[in-house]
Amino acid sequence: MSGNNTRMDLGRPMSGRRRLKDLLLQKDNRVCADCNAPDPKWASANIGVFICLKCCGVHRSLGTHISKVLSVTLDDWSDDEVDAMVEVGGNASANSIYEAYIPEGFTKPGPDAGHEHRAKFIRSKYELQEFLKPSLRIVSGKSSIDSSSSKSFMDSFKSSSSQRTEGMVEFIGLLKIKVIKGTDLAIRDIKSSDPYVVLNLGQQTVQTSVIRSNLNPVWNEERMLSVPEHYGQLKLKVFDHDTFSADDIMGEADIDLQSLITSAMAFGDAGMFGNMQIGKWLKSDDNALIEDSLVEITDGKVKQMMSLKLQNVESGEIELELEWIPLDQ
């Protein structure tokens, strides 16, 4: 009976967001699983823990094959992701496995720990699995854990011996990208294409869904990326999905984030200002802009709309909306 309480209310299914919120309100989930900072607003969906913003940055550095990070309040969660969190049961349950044995020389970081201490502990805990009991260690992608309550999130780990680990990265903010639509995209099949968009920033890559047989697709899909201190350009590529061969590229564009980020950071708390223009990325022969792209404060949020002409292809345009999200949000 108790197992149904997280899913049902007077006989009606609870929404995923409500179930997630109820789980977050449990006592052990009111502090970060990795440093005990209060009021965590992030989670590793495949591990099953709630984490704070500082630890979230380290988790993102590990890669999604280790930890898939989602915002409790900003991201959309699938039913499967919520189910996985509920099945694990929260921080105490996960830590009973991942912190079963902390050897001499390691100390768990506190809320005010430095980045180096925090990064070393989190990497040792999840990627290297140094705090698991030997009987629970995962070998070649398989675990000796038999408990069904642990299986769902332990199965998501693979042997880290073959993975190349990038250096830990400090993040300065978050970038929400709304891929709105494509126009007059190139034909890569007989009469049409099955397009999808891939976005890359540093070591992070996200992509939209595939839209079948459409040269003017409408996605209206949001994706989130962490912005590293040395962020460089946001890379956009459009591909045609092929079932039996490699996907064909349908154009690309480089997006300069400097105007958005420098303007947003200069103004600070955007909620203190009314709607106004605060920056601009100018169209030139050296970029993919169709027209100047304005950075504006809209309803307390820093946003930038842009229309891009895809490069290295016969035709195609992409419309995006970028939103800067500061780390304290």
Side-chain angles (χ1 to χ4, degrees), residues 42-51 59 66-70 85:
W42 297 84
S44 174
N46 58 329
I47 296 174
V49 292
F50 292 99
I51 53 179
H59 275 254
I66 300 293
S67 180
K68 182 179 181 181
V69 178
L70 293 173
M85 291 290 295

Side-chain angles (χ1 to χ4, degrees), residues 197-245:
V197 176
V198 175
L199 298 155
N200 175 265
L201 183 63
Q203 300 298 318
Q204 305 163 84
T205 301
V206 294
Q207 71 179 57
T208 68
S209 60
V210 176
I211 296 185
R212 301 289 181 182
S213 302
N214 199 325
L215 299 180
N216 296 284
V218 177
W219 284 282
N220 282 325
E221 295 180 7
E222 293 182 343
R223 297 292 183 267
M224 191 90 72
L225 292 169
S226 295
V227 180
E229 185 176 5
H230 305 290
Y231 47 84
Q233 292 183 318
L234 174 66
K235 304 285 187 179
L236 179 149
K237 292 184 178 181
V238 182
F239 290 92
D240 169 51
H241 176 73
D242 286 318
T243 303
F244 302 109
S245 62

